[in-house]
Amino acid sequence: MPALANRLKQVEVAASVVMTNKARALRAAGHTVISLAVGEPDFETPPHAIEAAHSAALAGDTHYPPQDGTPALKQAVQRKFKRDNGLDYALDEIMVSNGGKQIIANAFLATIDEGDEIIIPTPYWISYAEQAKLCGGKPVFVACPQNNGFKLRPEDLEAAITPRTKWLVLNSPSNPSGAALSADELRAIGAVVARYPNMWVLSDDMYEHMVYDGFAFSTLAQVAPETRGQVLTVNGASKAYAMTGWRIGFCGGPKALVKAMVNVQGQLSSGVCTVAQAAAAAALDGPQDLVAERAAIYRARRDLVVEMLNQARGIVCHKPEGAFYVYPNVAGCLGKTSAGGRLIETDYDFVLALLEEHHVAAVHGGAYGMSPYMRISYATDTDSLREACARIQAFCAGLT
Ligand code: PLP
């Protein structure tokens, strides 16, 4: 076979995809599998967004879009940043992409040179590191330990910065830990950022609306305005409006950076599906009640999952501020043998045995750069969550 590119050799398939595929295979073999491996809302896209897409298609909005996004969606994004984040972005500081994922890819492709360093607080969403590597960058992982609520400490950030640092990635609330940074915590990070004007900051706010118990969401450019010229504020429709399939992400940031990113996107995909952009504009401009309603449902699920997991022998589950993930520690289960005779030496062994013996799919912490943990997505109905947690308890009870 003719060769593939060397740059792909270091890039890994996301562990959540691997676990989801294993779960699918077990299901096809007739087992009742509960998957807690996917990071996708189990709700539906709001009907008014679907109707807007339909109307746009019928109205002939079916031609190549502007590379940076349709004016209607960019204006809706501009209003969103103002309304939710108190951020004023001009239209040439905003762009729309095929999901938040392509926003990040555009940003990295537009800025990373071979050997540049990208600081990634750990545990982290897998794609930051893989995309950075695809661009020739070097991920630099900074541990955010459980005893600090999985949050980045300013002193740890500063210690990781070198003359090669190109980006700092912030993701609050976090996938996979659910940890969210308060305004004060962000300000302290902002003070470090401002001392390194050659460093960009990617503020991935994808889980903005999923915060609980009165936690107030903040974003870096808002609370540390002195960093605004370095910050790319990233968000999207996927998680907030249960629109993962529509592939709409957007950002606000310095004009020169956004211009370079639009250039990249122009070569890669020309732009973003027109009818999906119409749907996202309707979601952003439409009634926002469902966002809070769904957050209340997620909060109840989080509480259920945290409580039940903490009753499982050997598991310690931190209660996070946001997102729809928990990141329980499974250290107390290591070195044991499962009822099915599997030796559990790592968090990967744990999730594999759990899937094979009790048919619950989760993702091992190693995939997110911090072990021994697992990531559980609670974007699933309550009955399935209760059953899954009962199975995890039974699995742990069977470890000897
Ligand atoms: N950022 C984080 C932290 C995520 O978890 C995800 C998706 O899982 C994304 C970005 C990308 O979302 P999308 O490309 O669906 O907009």
Side-chain angles (χ1 to χ4, degrees):
M1 182 183 107
L4 301 176
N6 285 332
R7 88 173 67 83
L8 278 178
K9 289 192 177 138
Q10 298 184 59
V11 175
E12 289 164 32
V13 176
S16 55
V17 176
V18 174
M19 290 309 283
T20 304
N21 290 343
K22 280 188 195 293
R24 207 169 279 148
L26 277 170
R27 215 171 264 142
H31 298 290
T32 319
V33 178
I34 305 177
S35 180
L36 309 179
V38 241
E40 164 161 74
D42 57 320
F43 299 113
E44 296 303 328
T45 296
H48 57 270
I50 297 172
E51 280 156 17
H54 187 211
S55 306
L58 290 175
D61 190 2
T62 52
H63 300 275
Y64 281 125
Q67 293 180 343
D68 56 341
T70 60
L73 178 52
K74 287 183 60 177
Q75 283 157 17
V77 168
Q78 189 179 43
R79 285 189 285 273
K80 176 258 171 299
F81 278 134
K82 181 80 188 154
R83 174 185 71 220
D84 297 341
N85 311 117
L87 287 169
D88 282 303
Y89 284 116
L91 288 177
D92 58 7
E93 295 178 309
I94 289 172
M95 81 174 288
V96 175
S97 234
N98 293 284
K101 210 172 216 176
Q102 199 193 1
I103 291 280
I104 302 166
N106 290 338
F108 283 2
L109 279 167
T111 53
I112 293 177
D113 286 319
E114 200 65 36
D116 281 350
E117 294 173 358
I118 296 84
I119 296 179
I120 304 176
T122 300
Y124 60 91
W125 181 51
I126 297 165
S127 290
Y128 301 132
E130 301 308 318
Q131 289 197 359
K133 287 191 278 180
L134 266 175
C135 298
K138 184 176 154 228
V140 173
F141 301 110
V142 177
C144 303
Q146 183 177 353
N147 64 11
N148 195 45
F150 299 108
K151 296 182 190 190
L152 177 65
R153 282 186 296 233
E155 59 272 28
D156 294 340
L157 163 62
E158 190 140 26
I161 297 174
T162 76
R164 290 306 310 262
T165 304
K166 188 55 83 64
W167 283 93
L168 160 67
V169 174
L170 292 179
N171 174 216
S172 164
S174 151
N175 173 7
S177 73
L181 297 165
S182 68
D184 281 347
E185 287 162 339
L186 277 170
R187 269 186 214 107
I189 289 172
V192 177
V193 168
R195 287 200 284 278
Y196 298 90
N198 294 330
M199 177 174 77
W200 296 107
V201 184
L202 190 135
S203 176
D204 181 341
D205 300 348
M206 206 55 78
Y207 296 93
E208 165 179 16
H209 297 294
M210 286 137 211
V211 285
Y212 315 120
D213 305 329
F215 182 92
F217 173 84
S218 317
T219 189
L220 185 66
Q222 167 195 28
V223 297
E226 70 277 19
T227 65
R228 195 184 183 284
Q230 295 168 254
V231 178
L232 187 70
T233 306
V234 179
N235 215 316
S238 292
K239 317 286 174 176
Y241 302 105
M243 291 179 67
T244 45
W246 300 81
R247 310 306 306 130
I248 297 288
F250 49 81
C251 66
K255 183 174 156 181
L257 174 61
V258 171
K259 187 173 172 209
M261 290 167 59
V262 172
N263 235 331
V264 170
Q265 175 157 296
Q267 296 306 334
L268 293 187
S269 65
S270 290
V272 179
C273 169
T274 48
V275 299
Q277 292 195 68
L284 285 173
D285 279 341
Q288 300 297 304
D289 338 2
L290 91 167
V291 172
E293 282 162 21
R294 290 174 177 180
I297 296 170
Y298 284 130
R299 186 198 50 76
R301 292 173 178 178
R302 178 205 59 174
D303 291 348
L304 171 75
V305 168
V306 169
E307 192 190 331
M308 287 190 76
L309 288 176
N310 277 322
Q311 288 161 5
R313 196 147 57 93
I315 291 186
V316 176
C317 187
H318 172 81
K319 190 190 257 194
E321 295 87 354
F324 44 61
Y325 307 103
V326 290
Y327 202 63
N329 186 312
V330 299
C333 303
L334 302 189
K336 301 193 170 169
T337 303
S338 68
R342 292 175 174 82
L343 180 61
I344 311 294
E345 288 182 306
T346 64
D347 52 16
Y348 185 64
D349 296 339
F350 182 95
V351 295
L352 210 58
L354 175 66
L355 178 60
E356 282 168 359
E357 296 178 24
H358 287 265
H359 306 138
V360 174
V363 185
H364 65 295
Y368 306 99
M370 191 178 275
S371 292
Y373 292 87
M374 65 175 160
R375 186 193 78 168
I376 285 185
S377 161
Y378 55 83
T380 300
D381 67 277
T382 308
D383 288 346
S384 302
L385 286 173
R386 197 171 281 120
E387 167 65 19
C389 290
R391 291 188 196 183
I392 293 171
Q393 290 175 353
F395 176 71
C396 291
L399 295 175
T400 49

